[in-house]
Amino acid sequence: MNKTETPDIINSSVYDVEKIRSDFPILQTKVHGKPLVYLDNAATSQKPISVIMKAQEYYSSMNSNIHRGVHALSQVSTEAYEGARIKIKKFINALGKNEIIFTRGTTESINLVAQSYGRMNFNEGDEVIISQMEHHSNIVPWQMICDEKGAKLKVIPINDNGEIIFEEYEKLINNRTKFVSIVYVSNSLGTVNPVKQIIDLAHQNNIPVLVDAAQAVNHLPIDVQDLHCDFLAFSGHKIYGPTGIGVLYGKVNLLDAMPPYQGGGDMISSVTFEKTIYNELPYKFEAGTPNIAGAIGLGEAIDYVQKIGIDNINKHEKELLDYATAAVAEIPSLKIIGTAKNKVSVLSFVLDDIHPHDIGTMLDFEGVAIRTGHHCTQPVMDRFGIPATSRASFAMYNTKEEVDVLIKGIKKIIEVFG
Ligand code: PLP
């Protein structure tokens, strides 16, 4: 980032959370007459005004279909869309912009790899490794392609803290292993996985690795060249961008060799009834009119995150997590689910004899938005022998005062339930 782009906030040794909050209009909302305390960030993050305005700007002054237009508006929107791709390339340090494919989100990115790479490369008896802490979107696409191909899904177990048991991973790797797909940060436990180590071991055995970075990209710096991952997936809406837009990063040699995932406009270079020649990367994987406003909005969200600085965000969120973890430790009937040494931003818990849905509903009356349920990680719930947890998840704009409101709310619920 050059000097003129560097905002005051980075130069300041003080993280100005109030200034950040003022950029997020929704944080002024009242819920049941109380100030909103939004702690459901792992489900989706709120959007800064710059992202909201960008969507408005797109529709009010740029709206036009991209790539094939010679008129001025089409060129402006194409430039903005491709500009967003370049921002993302830089943000995750990809080698080239042709390695950045716009998708609807993490789910579609993983399905793309399963249906394209998996369909081309998996055979009867092959094995695909995932972990016990995966989101359903990093389980089901692999189950589907394994079922179709007669391949098997192998699962790395997790320990009582919610950490991958690395030795078990080592044991699972063999000459039938064709792919590893692993979550970077667990959405229900907050665990940060040692993805670099996981990738290294897979690569020693010539096995490609996909990293599900849906919960990582907004908390940790991501450098795909340093990770050496073969694929990486994330969603715009978890990183302060719009819904319905996401990214698949893939190494160019792998993407080049893969067949298209969907057919249609824009993914071709020529079509006759006899033969279709596919477009070059990344367009080969972007069939149809994409979410243009979404991609441009995601670019804007990345600008915003870079202004604040991902390391500054991480440090702030860590302070919140430590503060909240210390506070709940004083509540005897509360048990944290997910106590990994390396954790970010997620506080999942259960309370003796009180159902998470009651906790979520009662906190809502205090203006506190948390998520309750299985968080699309039913195997994690099974691992801990529980049906659901209550999950508070923190973002760059949350404060210790908001954590206090959460803790007060939890104590009130315990009192009410006696
Ligand atoms: N992976 C993880 C770890 C997630 O937390 C989520 C969403 O919660 C997903 C994948 C799926 O993301 P999306 O629904 O945006 O496709």
Side-chain angles (χ1 to χ4, degrees):
M1 188 182 283
N2 71 38
K3 241 195 152 147
T4 49
E5 285 171 310
T6 308
D8 293 348
I9 201 157
I10 286 183
N11 296 334
S12 157
S13 57
V14 182
Y15 184 89
D16 192 349
V17 72
E18 287 310 321
K19 160 80 186 70
I20 292 170
R21 289 178 70 78
S22 70
D23 290 334
F24 289 79
I26 207 168
L27 298 180
Q28 305 308 315
T29 306
K30 293 232 154 104
V31 173
H32 305 301
K34 310 257 172 69
L36 168 69
V37 173
Y38 186 76
L39 300 178
D40 193 17
N41 296 288
T44 198
S45 58
Q46 298 302 347
K47 320 301 168 203
I49 189 74
S50 56
V51 170
I52 298 166
M53 294 307 290
K54 201 72 196 175
Q56 190 181 353
E57 186 193 332
Y58 170 75
Y59 285 115
S60 52
S61 65
M62 286 186 243
N63 181 49
S64 180
N65 214 331
I66 51 168
H67 292 152
R68 294 168 301 276
V70 291
H71 62 81
L73 276 188
S74 177
Q75 287 176 20
V76 170
S77 62
T78 302
E79 245 171 61
Y81 181 79
E82 291 303 329
R85 198 191 304 275
I86 291 168
K87 284 181 191 179
I88 292 155
K89 173 214 166 262
K90 289 187 183 152
F91 184 59
I92 62 170
N93 196 28
L95 262 178
K97 81 179 190 98
N98 53 352
E99 295 181 319
I100 305 298
I101 293 156
F102 283 119
T103 63
R104 282 193 299 121
T106 310
T107 304
E108 190 177 40
S109 298
I110 298 173
N111 275 280
L112 189 163
V113 178
Q115 289 300 320
S116 171
Y117 183 91
R119 177 162 298 134
M120 188 174 76
N121 291 292
F122 299 170
N123 292 303
E124 176 115 29
D126 287 346
E127 294 178 0
V128 174
I129 298 179
I130 59 168
S131 84
Q132 204 173 9
M133 70 171 86
E134 300 308 321
H135 187 279
H136 295 164
S137 61
N138 200 24
I139 301 174
V140 185
W142 302 112
Q143 272 175 334
M144 287 163 63
I145 194 69
C146 283
D147 281 354
E148 190 182 313
K149 292 289 185 170
K152 287 198 192 94
L153 203 56
K154 296 284 168 175
V155 181
I156 314 167
I158 57 176
N159 64 22
D160 290 343
N161 295 327
E163 295 160 321
I164 270 174
I165 306 174
F166 202 83
E167 306 76 64
E168 297 296 328
Y169 168 53
E170 285 175 322
K171 281 189 218 157
L172 285 178
I173 293 210
N174 61 53
N175 58 11
R176 290 182 301 277
T177 313
K178 287 286 147 35
F179 204 84
V180 174
S181 194
I182 191 83
V183 71
Y184 200 154
V185 173
S186 156
N187 64 309
S188 53
L189 303 166
T191 310
V192 180
N193 280 320
V195 284
K196 222 177 153 176
Q197 254 177 290
I198 290 169
I199 293 165
D200 281 353
L201 183 62
H203 283 181
Q204 283 161 31
N205 295 276
N206 291 323
I207 303 161
V209 182
L210 181 148
V211 175
D212 170 357
Q215 300 287 345
V217 71
N218 49 339
H219 302 302
L220 304 170
I222 304 261
D223 179 333
V224 289
Q225 291 188 62
D226 180 54
L227 284 176
H228 284 296
C229 54
D230 300 280
F231 300 100
L232 182 128
F234 69 92
S235 302
H237 70 100
K238 312 254 192 213
I239 184 168
Y240 311 102
T243 52
I245 187 77
V247 169
L248 172 68
Y249 156 82
K251 280 184 183 158
V252 72
N253 59 324
L254 292 171
L255 291 175
D256 246 342
M258 284 158 56
Y261 164 58
Q262 291 178 332
D266 230 24
M267 53 74 70
I268 54 88
S269 72
S270 75
V271 178
T272 64
F273 287 119
E274 288 69 42
K275 186 171 171 59
T276 289
I277 307 211
Y278 303 133
N279 207 342
E280 60 191 16
L281 288 176
Y283 313 110
K284 181 173 83 173
F285 292 107
E286 292 180 6
T289 302
N291 183 353
I292 306 167
I296 296 169
L298 174 55
E300 195 66 27
I302 282 171
D303 284 347
Y304 188 84
V305 165
Q306 286 187 310
K307 272 188 208 163
I308 311 294
I310 196 84
D311 291 327
N312 296 333
I313 294 170
N314 182 285
K315 186 163 167 274
H316 174 73
E317 291 170 344
K318 171 115 185 55
E319 275 170 27
L320 290 177
L321 182 63
D322 289 348
Y323 183 74
T325 306
V328 297
E330 317 224 312
I331 305 175
S333 59
L334 184 147
K335 182 171 176 226
I336 296 178
I337 305 294
T339 48
K341 274 184 222 84
N342 195 1
K343 240 188 107 166
V344 284
S345 208
V346 166
L347 187 78
S348 254
F349 61 91
V350 288
L351 281 179
D352 282 353
D353 301 327
I354 309 178
H355 197 279
H357 290 299
D358 292 330
I359 299 169
T361 308
M362 289 184 73
L363 284 175
D364 181 53
F365 283 118
E366 305 297 325
V368 182
I370 63 158
R371 188 138 299 239
T372 59
H374 53 61
H375 317 294
C376 295
T377 56
Q378 280 183 342
V380 171
M381 301 299 120
D382 292 345
R383 165 64 178 80
F384 288 93
I386 49 178
T389 74
S390 301
R391 180 188 71 186
S393 50
F394 308 110
M396 63 157 99
Y397 40 66
N398 290 124
T399 64
K400 287 189 177 160
E401 291 71 31
E402 290 183 309
V403 174
D404 291 340
V405 177
L406 167 74
I407 304 296
K408 206 168 147 205
I410 295 172
K411 288 183 175 162
K412 194 166 159 187
I413 294 166
I414 296 170
E415 249 175 63
V416 170
F417 277 82

